[in-house]
Amino acid sequence: MTAVLFDFSGTLFRVESTDSWLRGALAAADVRLTEAELTAAVLALEAVGALPGGGDPARVPEELADAWPVRDRSAALHRAAYTGLARQVPLPGPALHDALYDRHMTPAAWAPYPDAVEVLRALRERGVPVGVVSNIGWDLRPVFRAHGLDPYIDAYVLSFEHGAQKPDPRLFGIACEALGADPHKTLMVGDDRRADGGATALGCGVYFVDHLPAADRPDGLRPVLDLVG
């Protein structure tokens, strides 16, 4: 393999916990809840899958049935889908549901996996071009810049900017073209076997990591270095 594509959420970065997410949004809005109220709201938000990058909802509400499967094709759909899930949970003020969505787009809401910088730096030292291919509804570049990973990324291919989402092979093709890479010599690294596995349609190799909290996956990316020449 002579080029590598990485997924974002659950692969290079992990979103904060629902507890931290809610506390951050409440603090920014200067809204206070009791610990009991906060705990109940956290559990409810987790149950409906309201945190982007967190767990999937157990059930998608009927009013979101059309938007949910294609939510990553546009910024508007992505926001509508996730704020729609969040609004199933009563909060002290309707603006908080949008504040929660805004919070998850901030660099503070994300942490790189412990070995991400090490692996990306090693790939750069070997002269291996690297791209990020993500199903997402917002610009993640500021997250990479804030955490110091942007210098190691040669191309970003984000679903909402192209109106298509993984596993559509077009996204992987766009990334390979941006890197000047042969798909048959390109490795796609991700945590979603269906979405990221779409790269195989172009002949890319694939390597899957587990979508775990960052502290629970200290070295899941290091095997990538053994697969790349």
Side-chain angles (χ1 to χ4, degrees), residues 194-217:
R194 178 179 177 274
D196 299 313
T200 60
L202 292 182
C204 298
V206 293
Y207 177 77
F208 295 110
V209 294
D210 294 323
H211 189 143
L212 295 171
D216 296 342
R217 210 196 73 197

Side-chain angles (χ1 to χ4, degrees), residues 180-205:
D182 178 351
H184 292 87
K185 297 180 180 179
T186 298
L187 180 69
M188 176 66 205
V189 183
D191 66 300
D192 188 318
R193 279 163 170 73
R194 178 179 177 274
D196 299 313
T200 60
L202 292 182
C204 298

Side-chain angles (χ1 to χ4, degrees), residues 6-11 52-53 68-74 78 82 101 104 110 132-140 156-169 171-172 188 191-192 194-198:
F6 287 96
D7 174 50
F8 166 57
S9 174
T11 300
W68 181 254
V70 295
R71 64 194 179 278
D72 297 312
R73 293 184 186 175
S74 78
H78 195 269
Y82 281 103
Y101 186 84
H104 105 276
W110 297 88
V132 170
V133 183
S134 177
N135 279 351
I136 199 164
W138 50 276
D139 186 3
L140 51 70
Y156 294 92
V157 178
L158 311 181
S159 60
F160 82 102
E161 294 181 337
H162 297 278
Q165 61 191 51
K166 298 180 292 186
D168 191 327
L171 291 180
F172 307 106
M188 176 66 205
D191 66 300
D192 188 318
R194 178 179 177 274
D196 299 313

